[in-house]
Amino acid sequence: MRHQLNYLFQPDTRGGTLLVLAALLALMLANSSLSGFYDEFLHTRVAVVLGDFAIDKPLLAWINDGLMAVFFLMIGLEVKYELLHGSLSNPHKALLPVIAAIGGMLVPALVFLSVNHADPVNRQGWAIPAATDIAFALGILALLGKRVPATLKVFLLALAIIDDVGVIVIIAFFYTADLSVISLAVAAASTLVLVVMNRLQVARLTPYLLVGMVLWASVLKSGVHATLAGVVIGFTIPLWVGKKPVGHRLEHRLKGATEWLILPVFALANAGVSLAGLSLASAVSPLPLGIMLGLLLGKPLGVFSFTWLAVKLGLAKLPQGTNWTQILALAVLCGIGFTMSMFIASLAYEHEEVIYDTYSRIGILAGSTLSAVLGFYLMKRNLDKEHP
């Protein structure tokens, strides 16, 4: 028992473990006598005022707009590294995860819309099942140890990163409010300053982060979602200046902060679904059902079928040392949406009644949990046959 507990907190698995614990704690708080305190705490107003400039939002919004911007900063740095030096730097090797990721975003959205096409409000959540939670999916895969081919882990990482890029594009184009021209102008000027610093090979992080804060605040005020500022900052910070690690060092630091703080706090703030008054009929109503089916069926169908087509058409090859059963199991694991799906849900139903948010979280939790269990079972069964 002690060995199993230690394994859950190994570097490869602790991210997923902490997410699960935070989500369970949130569910317990939301369905206990502390639910009122939990809800009130998340809606505590927090204001930052500098002269005529002010940001006044509830704590939940600071978590979703602020902490998640830091998470997307790390994603920006990761994508940049993979494009320059990693699994996406070779166009031939990058093609398969790109094609798989496209299928993994397109098919779940179509599955969701097939269930919710009649309701215009429900339809706003079409992108919810299109997301994959990197930490969770890699954490589940890591539970199976070194028997999992390293090339399969790289394939999942590349696929999930491209999936994140897709989510960023979706947020930019489909989940933005009315735009403020002045704020966008400030954001553009801040971006230009960051690009100039990059071209001048500025090696200190502080100037990037200070200008980045201005960029984040202006994007927040512009109507475009503030997390996109994190991606821009990540792309403009140089990974290396000469032999000095700049972005590379920041990415390493942010991974720890993301793993131990940002994603667990996000899960704690967003996974608290009150089950009071919910019936089985409401749990399988079109909104939660569409999300659950999108994650559990749409994701694996999209990832696997697009991968199969790419290989059969000769566009790409399977990762070395893998087989189709492992690709299927990995495709099922991609149905773990969790944090990213909840993040999109918070944007999709931001201005709707709270029941939409509740139903979407139920669908996300059900679809992600079933995908994790089924994906783990399929992968373990295959590996047990390969390595009895």
Side-chain angles (χ1 to χ4, degrees), residues 195-271:
V195 171
V196 170
M197 288 194 298
N198 178 286
R199 300 299 294 175
L200 294 175
Q201 291 287 280
V202 175
R204 294 180 60 198
L205 276 173
T206 303
Y208 291 101
L209 298 181
L210 288 176
V211 177
M213 289 175 65
V214 176
L215 174 62
W216 175 82
S218 57
V219 172
L220 180 67
K221 289 288 188 178
S222 73
V224 179
H225 201 271
T227 50
L228 297 178
V231 180
V232 174
I233 299 167
F235 268 89
T236 52
I237 295 176
L239 295 176
W240 295 80
V241 175
K243 294 184 178 180
K244 182 177 181 180
V246 183
H248 187 69
R249 182 178 60 189
L250 178 62
E251 179 192 349
H252 181 72
R253 291 177 178 176
L254 289 179
K255 278 188 176 180
T258 297
E259 192 175 82
W260 290 100
L261 176 66
I262 295 173
L263 291 183
V265 168
F266 178 86
L268 183 62
N270 288 273

Side-chain angles (χ1 to χ4, degrees), residues 15 20 29 62 76-77 95 108 117 132 151 155 157 175 217 219 233 264 282 310 332 335 340 356 363 377 384:
V20 171
L29 290 172
W62 281 99
L77 289 167
L95 187 59
H117 63 90
T132 295
T151 52
F155 178 62
L157 178 62
Y175 295 112
V219 172
I233 299 167
S282 62
V332 175
M340 295 306 296
Y356 288 96
Y377 170 76
D384 286 344

Side-chain angles (χ1 to χ4, degrees), residues 67-143:
L67 281 184
M68 289 302 283
V70 179
F71 171 70
F72 275 85
L73 165 57
M74 187 193 75
I75 293 296
L77 289 167
E78 283 187 342
V79 172
K80 184 175 182 177
Y81 176 83
E82 294 297 329
L83 286 171
L84 295 177
H85 308 291
S87 57
L88 303 180
S89 59
N90 184 321
H92 182 70
K93 290 183 178 180
L95 187 59
L96 187 62
V98 168
I99 293 173
I102 292 172
M105 289 185 282
L106 179 62
V107 177
L110 293 176
V111 169
F112 175 87
L113 289 173
S114 70
V115 178
N116 290 277
H117 63 90
D119 191 320
V121 178
N122 282 8
R123 286 202 301 265
Q124 295 172 190
W126 63 271
I128 294 172
T132 295
D133 189 305
I134 296 178
F136 238 136
L138 286 174
I140 295 295
L141 203 61
L143 289 173

